[in-house]
Amino acid sequence: MAKGCGYLLASLMMLVGVLIMTNALPGALDPGVVVVALLLLPIALGAFVIVHDTRRIKAAEAAEERLLARERDHVIRTVDFVADPLLTEDERLEIIDCFIPRLGRSAAASPYRDRFVVVSELAPSARDLLERARAAVMSVYTSEVMRLRLLDGLANEVLLPGQLWEIALLLRVQTHLHEEQREARQGVVTPELLAVLEPQQKALRRSIDAVTARIESLERYAHRVQEADAALRAKAALGNNDKYRALLAHTDDDEGMRELAAHGDALEETLARSVRQAIEAGQTLTS
């Protein structure tokens, strides 16, 4: 309202200025020029208003984008969740926005609720299992053989995120079923109730055992990758053998020099074998 009044006041002042000049200099200004000026005045003012509003809107949009980026970064740092790796970037941002109170959205009502798992919603034992799986995957991602692209790209870039997502999803279902079991056992537990609950509990335990076995497979794969990394470090250390050969040559130790050479030859095969074993361990994750 105040802005509209300001524009109106500016328009009136410009109009008054033109009228004053017309009256003060009746012979100096052509009436046609005055008419044209009066006609162009609202057009010029309208153009000014449009430019001003456009800049104001763009500035507001830029400020909103900066604020939203900071809020999303805060969610990423403070809300621990596992998302379906097949989500698009826009879908992932939609999920993140559910945890920004200012936007008034609810994670529980999100259309993508079945495509992310909030870690805090899991039972403590389920969180421990998920942390083990994450640690194994991170160990692979941060390995030197991964950086050098010596491992199976499919296993690392596609299979591992999928494994982690499936594990998180199963752990959430198990958490909910465990809670149902706990609630069902409150109060008097009759033989009839046990007849219903015990087979369900047995199925739940089998599912937990199966998920645990999957996590152990991930851990075995991560261990193989660490062994391959160790072989790489050994190969790097092999580059120092020339210094030790020179030392042994100065001490006339021919046998020691032969041993160093033999170790160097064997190390190449050790490295190749370690990488092969890591790749084979990754391939077993698909079975």
Side-chain angles (χ1 to χ4, degrees), residues 192-234:
E192 293 79 10
L193 180 58
L194 286 176
V196 174
L197 295 182
E198 287 180 350
Q200 294 177 349
Q201 193 169 30
K202 183 178 179 181
L204 180 58
R205 283 197 299 267
R206 290 182 61 182
S207 176
I208 293 172
D209 290 343
V211 170
T212 303
R214 291 178 69 169
I215 294 171
E216 289 170 349
S217 294
L218 282 174
E219 290 173 331
R220 284 193 295 272
Y221 176 46
H223 183 69
R224 289 295 189 185
V225 170
Q226 291 170 357
E227 289 179 339
D229 263 8
L232 276 180
R233 292 194 299 272

Side-chain angles (χ1 to χ4, degrees), residues 58-187:
K58 287 184 177 180
E61 290 175 347
E64 171 63 20
E65 288 178 0
R66 290 192 296 270
L67 174 60
L68 186 58
R70 290 195 299 270
E71 290 173 327
R72 285 171 171 171
D73 181 66
H74 178 73
V75 170
I76 292 171
R77 288 185 287 104
T78 59
V79 180
D80 191 8
F81 67 91
V82 180
D84 183 349
L86 298 180
L87 286 168
T88 66
E89 182 60 23
D90 287 341
E91 290 170 339
R92 185 176 178 84
L93 290 177
E94 285 283 342
I95 292 173
I96 292 173
D97 290 349
C98 292
F99 298 96
I100 300 176
R102 178 178 64 87
L103 300 181
R105 303 176 188 178
S106 169
S110 170
Y112 306 106
R113 187 63 187 93
D114 292 334
R115 302 187 68 184
F116 68 95
V117 174
V118 180
V119 176
S120 61
E121 296 176 351
L122 300 178
S125 58
R127 289 199 295 268
D128 291 342
L129 288 173
L130 180 61
E131 186 56 35
R132 285 174 56 185
R134 281 175 153 180
V137 170
M138 185 56 63
S139 175
V140 174
Y141 283 158
T142 57
S143 67
E144 186 68 9
V145 287
M146 173 74 171
R147 187 184 69 81
L148 296 175
R149 312 293 294 179
L150 298 178
L151 298 177
D152 186 348
L154 174 64
N156 292 310
E157 297 170 11
V158 178
L159 183 60
L160 289 183
Q163 285 275 331
L164 196 58
W165 163 241
E166 291 174 6
I167 287 170
L169 202 57
L170 287 168
L171 290 173
R172 181 171 68 183
V173 174
Q174 291 168 359
T175 294
H176 291 167
L177 293 178
H178 180 76
E179 182 61 21
E180 287 182 0
Q181 288 278 313
R182 188 190 66 80
E183 291 177 357
R185 289 176 179 273
Q186 292 181 351

Side-chain angles (χ1 to χ4, degrees), residues 254-268:
D254 294 336
E255 182 179 354
M257 293 176 63
R258 286 193 297 271
E259 289 179 357
L260 276 178
H263 285 312
D265 294 338
L267 183 60
E268 293 293 339

